[in-house]
């Protein structure tokens, strides 16, 4: 292959794709970006020295650059493939990934929300150092914080939104070019609202309503009946994963009709969710665990989002959803299995109700402010326990709930979740990425 310069094909990342008819993702979506329009070609094979197969894809441009997506279908299970992206004449360096095993007995994945360029270095380094341990990544929204670009040095009045999106995706390439990067929307994907965007009607039109986010990724929505990258589902090993739009996707959602600019209108997510879960429970012998992910939490700090609870929680109980992962609040909270706020089961042994886990503090542009407010509280009252401090009030619609549901919190460190699941146990370790130490762990059993 004739190699291109590093600047020609950037931000290479992959995502699970395809369905073999039995629920196994037997494909991989390969995505990247170019500055100018060009053919979308992926060469691949099972040897790094012989990329003998070729697949073409599609590209699109929502603002200035071009996003390319190619789906490689009908791949062999449990096999390492090597690939390079290009335009047919020049190609990138060679990357690799491993497809899901056919037996579906286990899955190991990393899970978090709210990772940005600023304050995210320890988490990125942890992921680079440990990427061989993960079958996939489940990112619970707020992907990169490009809409906070005006807070970066030199960007208060300069247009930096696209630049920061690109920098974030480049910073993740060493991991997500090899490990499937499964994402869902957060509020920071909704629009560009820095001064350079708000003063430009073109930018307001082109960079609103999750447009950049929906253009840059290719999630398995076509395979699962979802919509764009807003909601979708997929299987890996013994787990059925559901990625939700908790920003606009139900009545009373925090950004149902507007973030800074107008947004929403993607369709009937709740009917889709019911149909998806109805299908998932038919295959519990093969995939006993059902895991939901989204950005805004239903429960946090003993409080509850009543609109989300009314829209979604009855389905959690009806279909026996095991775990609901969320982010948004920049800390860690593991709750006891909880239903309807007051039904708290203080056991993870076949609890019969959903366990809510919030992992929103891997490091991002806004965490400096939270740390500063926390330190001010501690300075004013040295007897306070910092692990019990809340520094963020994220939604005026919350109602008082039940502090008894909270099992463990960490409000002072950067961290992510690392999960190992087999057909009888689902173990999560919460790793503080600055030190690599496991701060908390629990195991659900059936």
């Amino acid at each position: 292959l004739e190699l291109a310069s590093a600047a020609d094909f950037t931000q290479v990342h992959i995502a699970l794709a395809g369905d073999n008819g039995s629920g196994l993702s037997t494909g991989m979506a390969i995505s990247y970006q170019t500055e100018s329009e060009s053919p979308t070609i992926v060469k691949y094979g099972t040897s790094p020295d012989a990329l003998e197969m070729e697949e073409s894809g599609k590209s699109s441009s929502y603002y200035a650059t071009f996003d390319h997506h190619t789906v490689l279908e009908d791949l062999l299970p449990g096999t390492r493939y090597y690939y390079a992206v290009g335009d047919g004449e020049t190609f990138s360096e060679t990357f690799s990934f491993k497809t899901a095993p056919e037996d579906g007995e286990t899955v190991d994945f990393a899970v978090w929300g709210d990772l940005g360029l600023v304050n995210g270095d320890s988490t990125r380094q942890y992921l680079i150092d440990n990427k061989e341990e993960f079958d996939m990544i489940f990112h619970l929204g707020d992907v990169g914080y490009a809409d906070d670009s005006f807070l970066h040095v030199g960007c208060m009045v300069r247009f930096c939104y696209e630049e920061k999106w690109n920098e974030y995706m480049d910073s993740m390439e060493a991991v997500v070019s090899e490990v499937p990067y499964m994402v869902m929307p957060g509020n920071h994907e909704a629009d560009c609202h820095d001064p350079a965007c708000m003063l430009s009607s073109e930018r307001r039109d082109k960079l609103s309503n999750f447009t950049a986010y929906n253009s840059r990724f290719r999630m398995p929505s076509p395979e699962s009946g979802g919509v764009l990258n807003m909601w979708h589902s997929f299987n890996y090993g013994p787990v059925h994963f559901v990625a939700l739009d908790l920003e606009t996707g139900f009545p009373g959602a925090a950004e149902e009709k507007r973030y800074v600019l107008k947004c929403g209108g993607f369709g009937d997510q709740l009917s889709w969710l019911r149909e998806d879960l109805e299908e998932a429970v038919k295959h519990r012998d093969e995939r006993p665990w059902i895991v939901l992910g989204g950005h805004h939490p239903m429960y946090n700090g003993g409080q509850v989002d009543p609109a989300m609870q009314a829209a979604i929680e009855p389905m959690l109980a009806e279909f026996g959803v095991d775990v609901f992962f969320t982010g948004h609040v920049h800390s860690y909270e593991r709750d006891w299995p909880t239903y309807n706020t007051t039904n708290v089961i203080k056991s993870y042994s076949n609890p019969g109700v959903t366990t809510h886990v919030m992992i929103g503090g891997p490091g991002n542009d806004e965490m400096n402010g939270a740390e500063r407010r926390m330190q001010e509280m501690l300075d004013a009252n040295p007897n306070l326990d910092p692990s019990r401090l809340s520094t963020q009030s994220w939604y005026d619609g919350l109602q008082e709930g039940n502090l008894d549901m909270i099992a463990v919190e960490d409000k002072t460190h950067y961290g992510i979740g690392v999960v190992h699941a087999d057909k009888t146990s689902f173990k999560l370790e919460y790793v503080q990425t600055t030190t690599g130490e496991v701060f908390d762990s629990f195991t659900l059993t059936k």
Side-chain angles (χ1 to χ4, degrees), residues 33-38 58-69 162 206-207 211-212 215-216:
Q33 192 174 95
T34 59
E35 291 188 357
S36 58
E37 189 172 11
S38 63
K58 297 179 180 180
S59 67
S60 62
S61 178
Y62 65 89
Y63 186 69
T65 54
F66 290 81
D67 295 294
H68 300 255
H69 305 290
E162 287 291 286
K206 291 184 175 181
L207 303 176
T211 298
S215 300
R216 287 170 174 266

Side-chain angles (χ1 to χ4, degrees), residues 104-107 238-239 288-289 420-427 444:
E105 293 293 324
T106 64
V107 63
V239 180
W289 303 103
H420 173 79
D422 58 32
K423 288 190 173 181
T424 60
S425 65
F426 186 100
K427 180 180 181 180
L444 274 170

Side-chain angles (χ1 to χ4, degrees), residues 163-206:
E163 176 184 313
K164 297 307 174 184
W165 252 120
N166 297 342
E167 287 182 15
Y168 173 80
M169 293 304 298
D170 279 332
S171 77
M172 295 293 289
E173 184 183 84
V175 178
V176 299
S177 60
E178 299 183 24
V179 183
Y181 192 28
M182 313 307 292
V183 298
M184 58 215 77
N187 54 293
H188 284 281
E189 283 74 74
D191 52 48
C192 175
H193 47 261
D194 61 29
C197 282
M198 299 305 288
L199 294 173
S200 165
S201 60
E202 179 191 16
R203 289 170 181 161
R204 290 197 306 273
D205 290 343
K206 291 184 175 181

Side-chain angles (χ1 to χ4, degrees), residues 49-338:
D49 300 319
L51 305 184
E52 297 175 341
M53 294 176 279
E54 181 176 302
E55 188 66 56
S56 60
K58 297 179 180 180
S59 67
S60 62
S61 178
Y62 65 89
Y63 186 69
T65 54
F66 290 81
D67 295 294
H68 300 255
H69 305 290
T70 303
V71 176
L72 310 182
E73 297 181 309
D74 300 322
L75 302 175
L76 297 172
T79 302
R80 182 160 294 279
Y81 282 86
Y82 299 85
Y83 72 97
V85 304
D87 58 13
E89 296 183 1
T90 59
F91 286 85
S92 68
E93 64 178 287
T94 299
F95 303 94
S96 73
F97 61 82
K98 190 173 182 180
T99 54
E102 191 168 20
D103 60 25
E105 293 293 324
T106 64
V107 63
D108 296 275
F109 65 96
V111 56
W112 71 80
D114 305 76
L115 180 60
L117 274 171
V118 179
N119 298 317
D121 289 345
S122 67
T123 291
R124 269 186 291 279
Q125 191 58 53
Y126 178 85
L127 293 169
I128 291 169
D129 293 342
N130 294 278
K131 62 184 177 181
E132 298 297 329
E133 306 298 319
F134 305 129
D135 296 316
M136 50 158 280
I137 291 166
F138 204 44
H139 190 149
L140 309 163
D142 282 7
V143 182
Y145 284 75
D147 70 334
D148 276 352
S149 61
F150 64 96
L151 301 176
H152 294 218
V153 175
C155 292
M156 176 56 75
V157 294
R158 185 168 68 88
F159 176 62
C160 295
Y161 179 78
E162 287 291 286
E163 176 184 313
K164 297 307 174 184
W165 252 120
N166 297 342
E167 287 182 15
Y168 173 80
M169 293 304 298
D170 279 332
S171 77
M172 295 293 289
E173 184 183 84
V175 178
V176 299
S177 60
E178 299 183 24
V179 183
Y181 192 28
M182 313 307 292
V183 298
M184 58 215 77
N187 54 293
H188 284 281
E189 283 74 74
D191 52 48
C192 175
H193 47 261
D194 61 29
C197 282
M198 299 305 288
L199 294 173
S200 165
S201 60
E202 179 191 16
R203 289 170 181 161
R204 290 197 306 273
D205 290 343
K206 291 184 175 181
L207 303 176
S208 62
N209 204 14
F210 300 89
T211 298
Y213 164 79
N214 278 318
S215 300
R216 287 170 174 266
F217 297 95
R218 194 279 181 191
M219 294 298 106
S221 293
E223 296 91 325
S224 60
V227 171
L228 302 173
N229 297 319
M230 301 304 289
W231 58 84
H232 61 274
S233 67
F234 59 93
N235 303 312
Y236 199 112
V239 180
H240 178 67
F241 292 89
V242 183
L244 295 177
D245 167 20
L246 299 182
E247 308 311 293
T248 75
F250 58 89
E255 286 87 49
E256 182 185 7
K257 297 180 180 179
R258 176 179 292 275
Y259 184 45
V260 176
L261 303 173
K262 289 182 179 179
C263 58
F266 294 103
D268 185 357
Q269 177 179 234
L270 296 180
S271 293
W272 172 87
L273 176 60
R274 172 167 290 279
E275 292 176 4
D276 187 86
L277 293 176
E278 285 175 346
E279 183 65 25
V281 297
K282 296 176 184 177
H283 304 281
R284 274 247 146 98
D285 288 344
E286 305 163 69
R287 290 179 288 276
W289 303 103
I290 298 178
V291 172
L292 268 58
H295 187 58
H296 278 82
M298 182 182 298
Y299 294 118
N300 164 243
Q303 296 180 306
V304 60
D305 179 340
M308 188 188 303
Q309 185 177 49
I312 293 175
E313 194 172 36
M315 284 189 274
L316 304 185
E318 181 179 353
F319 298 107
V321 171
D322 297 287
V323 182
F324 197 169
F325 285 116
T326 56
H328 190 67
V329 180
H330 301 152
S331 59
Y332 170 73
E333 177 179 314
R334 166 168 64 88
D335 292 338
W336 293 109
T338 300

Side-chain angles (χ1 to χ4, degrees), residues 329-393:
V329 180
H330 301 152
S331 59
Y332 170 73
E333 177 179 314
R334 166 168 64 88
D335 292 338
W336 293 109
T338 300
Y339 178 70
N340 196 27
T341 309
T342 57
N343 183 11
V344 177
I345 309 297
K346 292 197 172 183
S347 169
Y348 294 108
S349 177
N350 197 24
V353 296
T354 304
T355 299
H356 294 257
V357 183
M358 187 186 72
I359 309 173
N364 61 61
D365 305 49
E366 298 181 354
M367 289 186 75
N368 277 342
E371 291 167 356
R372 187 163 54 248
R373 292 192 299 276
M374 182 177 294
Q375 191 58 52
E376 289 171 353
M377 293 182 197
L378 290 172
D379 290 343
N381 188 345
N383 295 322
L384 285 175
D385 176 358
S387 69
R388 302 294 296 182
L389 288 180
S390 176
T391 60
Q392 190 176 28
S393 178

